[in-house]
Amino acid sequence: MASEKKKGRILSSRHLLGLEGMAGEEIANILDTADALKEILDRPIKKVPTLRGVTVVNLFFEASTRTRLSFELAEKRLSADLMNFSTSGSSVVKGETLLDTARNIEAMRIDVVVVRHQCPGVPGFLADRLSSVVVNAGDGAHEHPTQALLDLLTLRQKFGDIKGLKVAIIGDIAHSRVVKSNIYGLKALGAEVMVCGPPTLIPRDVESLQVKVTHNVDKALEWADTINVLRLQLERQKSGFLPSLREYYWTFGITMERLSRLREAPVILHPGPMNRGVEIESAVADSDYAVILDQVTNGVAVRMAVLVLLSAPEIAV
Ligand code: CP
């Protein structure tokens, strides 16, 4: 193990449940591995045998486009065997519990469980009860570690270094899992972080995470080198947080008009799915300031890196 550690490629946990507490060096190792693996995506034959014989189940209890498809593609590019599970059409609709579902799938002899669930803590709950490696693909408003890792990779590619970078995260801070994983990852790599949104959508204790807070989006834009624009998580909100979506757009929406008042426009990230005309103007989302589709490409590389480092660390690049 000591020599493996010296290689600097080994994760300290056998699961990826979140970025809270993860050291900057460990995060940098994942990003380095993703950077190295990304080249496979541009080959004429986009496939390597790295995870031949490893079986992964993608256990999605909540809707997803990017995360589910990018895990699936990462598994295919690495030659893993994979199974896709979604709630509709499964025995969950007949009343089977989460744990019974997971244990029955594990009894088919799988190695890795990638799980998305609307309840915070489900990946940790499964990690405590299954023998398989568990990867968190987003659990309620808790964490979304692979999203933050792909955001970090995109920023590192754009800026060269994350240390000292000023990152403003704008939108529904209270209901976001992306913001928590981003704050943990960004702070571990030495970035400065500001959160911005309406007072009703910023948790009172957020400053305990050593981030700046503002309710003025123009101040956040003036300060930041880069912004990460979050969707309003309407599916997780109770009513009464906002007067209307139109007012939110006027007050917090990222528009070309707002960007035109800046000396220099920031690099713009969005984890998706986007609500054009709510948190971001269409013209901004499609502009050269946005790196949203680069994030999606990097998502495949990051998920390949996580799968290799967790299930085949001895052959990690
Ligand atoms: N960013 C993200 O998690 O997108 P999906 O919900 O489509 O997976």
Side-chain angles (χ1 to χ4, degrees), residues 198-220:
T200 48
L201 293 179
I202 297 199
R204 282 192 193 162
D205 60 353
V206 74
E207 277 159 346
S208 67
L209 298 173
Q210 278 88 51
V211 298
K212 300 177 201 303
V213 181
T214 181
H215 306 300
N216 182 326
V217 75
D218 294 302
K219 273 195 183 152

Side-chain angles (χ1 to χ4, degrees), residues 25-44:
E25 189 189 357
E26 203 165 333
I27 293 171
N29 285 339
I30 300 174
L31 303 186
D32 291 346
T33 307
D35 252 338
L37 289 169
K38 195 176 169 189
E39 166 271 322
I40 294 166
L41 306 178
D42 295 321
R43 290 184 191 172

Side-chain angles (χ1 to χ4, degrees), residues 4-190:
E4 286 176 336
K5 273 221 161 17
K6 222 177 264 171
K7 271 170 45 183
R9 298 291 184 190
I10 305 301
L11 301 183
S12 57
S13 169
R14 64 182 294 262
H15 308 287
L16 179 64
L17 304 179
L19 296 193
E20 185 175 11
M22 193 181 276
E25 189 189 357
E26 203 165 333
I27 293 171
N29 285 339
I30 300 174
L31 303 186
D32 291 346
T33 307
D35 252 338
L37 289 169
K38 195 176 169 189
E39 166 271 322
I40 294 166
L41 306 178
D42 295 321
R43 290 184 191 172
I45 297 172
K46 303 172 178 58
K47 206 171 179 74
V48 291
T50 314
L51 293 192
R52 208 154 52 189
V54 173
T55 305
V56 185
V57 60
N58 300 311
L59 208 54
F60 277 66
F61 290 86
E62 191 194 68
S64 169
T65 298
R66 280 147 290 270
T67 312
R68 186 173 60 81
L69 290 178
S70 109
F71 266 111
E72 188 176 329
L73 196 57
E75 291 147 14
K76 286 180 173 163
R77 297 294 185 237
L78 293 167
S79 304
D81 295 313
L82 64 106
M83 298 193 295
N84 288 317
F85 169 95
S86 56
T87 312
S88 66
S90 79
S91 289
V92 170
V93 296
K94 299 178 193 165
E96 188 165 59
T97 66
L98 164 71
L99 188 55
D100 277 336
T101 300
R103 280 195 173 136
N104 275 272
I105 293 171
E106 186 169 64
M108 297 177 201
R109 300 285 186 265
I110 50 119
D111 304 294
V112 182
V113 175
V114 175
V115 61
R116 167 169 288 196
H117 202 284
Q118 60 278 13
C119 294
V122 160
F125 173 85
L126 292 181
D128 287 343
R129 288 161 180 82
L130 301 178
S131 329
S132 311
V133 167
V134 177
V135 181
N136 183 358
D139 58 334
H142 176 225
E143 280 222 41
H144 194 349
T146 55
Q147 177 66 48
L149 289 166
L150 73 87
D151 293 343
L152 292 167
L153 183 63
T154 307
L155 289 178
R156 204 175 74 162
Q157 287 167 355
K158 199 77 193 167
F159 290 96
D161 196 359
I162 296 208
K163 194 171 164 54
L165 201 62
K166 291 179 175 169
V167 185
I169 307 175
I170 300 171
D172 182 357
I173 306 301
H175 299 94
S176 172
R177 53 192 172 216
V178 173
V179 73
K180 292 187 196 72
S181 296
N182 258 275
I183 290 172
Y184 298 134
L186 286 163
K187 299 296 292 183
L189 293 178

Side-chain angles (χ1 to χ4, degrees), residues 259-314:
L259 297 183
S260 72
R261 283 188 254 133
L262 301 170
R263 274 167 292 141
E264 195 176 349
V267 171
I268 298 171
L269 291 86
H270 192 307
M274 266 187 289
N275 288 140
R276 291 170 183 259
V278 179
E279 71 273 10
I280 191 166
E281 186 184 4
S282 232
V284 175
D286 297 330
S287 72
D288 288 343
Y289 307 127
V291 290
I292 296 166
L293 295 179
D294 296 334
Q295 290 173 264
V296 177
T297 307
N298 283 331
V300 181
V302 154
R303 287 162 182 136
M304 288 168 76
V306 166
L307 290 166
V308 169
L309 290 168
L310 290 176
S311 51
E314 68 288 353

